[in-house]
Amino acid sequence: MAEESNLPQVQEANVLRCIKCGHCEVFCPSQALILDLRPDEKVALPDGVGDISTEDIGFYLKKRRSVRHFTKEPVPREKVLEILDIARYAASGTNGQPVQWLVVHDPERVRKIAGLTIEWMKTLVNTSHPMSGYVPSLISAWENGNDIICRDAPHLLFAHIPEENPIASVDAIIALTHFDITAPAFGVGTCWAGFVAAAATSYEPLQKELGFPAGRKSAYAILFGHPLYKIYGIPRRKPLEVMWQ
């Protein structure tokens, strides 16, 4: 700067290029930078906090399981918010952060959504839809009292995104994955709700039930609750296949 008393600042021509990702701030070793966005949220990172050994992170991720049997004990809203607060730090294209959340916390509403998903499946029977030959067995299971859709989960989480954003669906999957891998640390089990997610993309009665804000749509959904069973081992997987170039 021309005068030593002046503080460094971004040149006016470059201000609009900032996407507020925070890289400049968090990589500053002296922590001298403060991003002019929610300055009250600046958090110091003490030495060693968050460090995880390669062994611990390996076992933590390898033992992750889709949970399809839940207790009836609800997950407190405060705990759900803690997990979502971590998930909001997920990466997104150009740091757009387009993902918002709908938490269906009432088990009765989860059950209703499962029923609407079955209604959607009934519209696929004897059509050219790829699931046409598959859905009759699911419908039959539901009619026999087996919740094959939501697995009697107490809660359901939707990530919703702007309808016109071409990359937001990927951002939503990244954010949901953050929720998925964070939840077990809080004693919460998850299962990706593919049937519900598929119905939510096209079945108007379900869309009305969910009531997303105008201009937004469901990206995907996850079931969650307290797991009924404990994990005692690591599941088998196909051998690793890698190409090098």
Side-chain angles (χ1 to χ4, degrees):
M1 304 296 288
E3 301 178 17
E4 290 185 4
S5 61
N6 289 337
L7 295 173
Q9 56 186 297
V10 178
Q11 295 180 9
E12 191 68 29
N14 292 329
V15 169
L16 295 180
R17 297 182 182 182
C18 176
I19 62 171
K20 300 177 175 60
C21 65
H23 276 28
C24 61
E25 184 180 57
V26 300
F27 282 99
C28 177
S30 62
Q31 286 292 282
L33 295 167
I34 297 178
L35 190 66
D36 189 18
L37 172 74
R38 302 180 72 171
D40 56 308
E41 200 181 42
K42 183 178 174 67
V43 178
L45 190 64
D47 290 341
V49 169
D51 291 346
I52 304 174
S53 72
T54 54
E55 183 178 41
D56 285 345
I57 192 66
F59 277 118
Y60 180 79
L61 293 176
K62 286 177 182 179
K63 78 173 189 178
R64 181 265 165 206
R65 305 301 297 142
S66 292
V67 173
R68 295 181 177 87
H69 297 276
F70 301 90
T71 71
K72 294 188 180 299
E73 179 191 3
V75 178
R77 294 189 177 202
E78 295 75 14
K79 184 178 289 189
V80 178
L81 290 174
E82 283 187 77
I83 302 172
L84 288 174
D85 191 58
I86 294 171
R88 74 186 173 98
Y89 285 85
S92 60
T94 67
N95 193 39
Q97 303 175 52
V99 180
Q100 296 178 15
W101 305 97
L102 168 63
V103 180
V104 183
H105 199 257
D106 182 355
E108 291 301 318
R109 289 206 65 198
V110 176
R111 180 78 178 178
K112 184 175 181 180
I113 289 168
L116 287 169
T117 301
I118 288 291
E119 287 184 13
W120 167 73
M121 288 181 173
K122 290 178 178 178
T123 70
L124 307 181
V125 178
N126 297 324
T127 69
S128 60
H129 193 280
M131 289 181 62
S132 176
Y134 183 62
V135 294
S137 61
L138 299 173
I139 296 169
S140 176
W142 173 266
E143 291 177 345
N144 286 317
N146 184 5
D147 181 7
I148 200 72
I149 304 302
C150 288
R151 303 287 180 169
D152 294 316
H155 314 302
L156 184 56
L157 174 69
F158 287 87
H160 60 91
I161 56 175
E163 291 177 343
E164 305 302 324
N165 187 326
I167 61 173
S169 58
V170 177
D171 297 334
I173 295 299
I174 296 171
L176 281 164
T177 300
H178 272 57
F179 183 92
D180 183 51
I181 63 176
T182 301
F186 288 80
V188 174
T190 60
C191 185
W192 292 76
F195 294 138
V196 174
T201 62
S202 59
Y203 193 51
E204 188 173 346
L206 177 53
Q207 293 170 342
K208 287 183 177 179
E209 173 67 22
L210 297 174
F212 294 118
R216 299 188 67 86
K217 64 180 181 180
S218 170
Y220 217 85
I222 278 182
L223 306 168
F224 71 97
H226 291 117
L228 182 60
Y229 302 115
K230 186 178 179 180
I231 299 167
Y232 293 97
I234 302 296
R236 292 167 177 79
R237 287 292 183 265
K238 294 179 180 179
L240 181 66
E241 296 186 26
V242 180
M243 292 180 62
W244 298 88
Q245 294 185 354

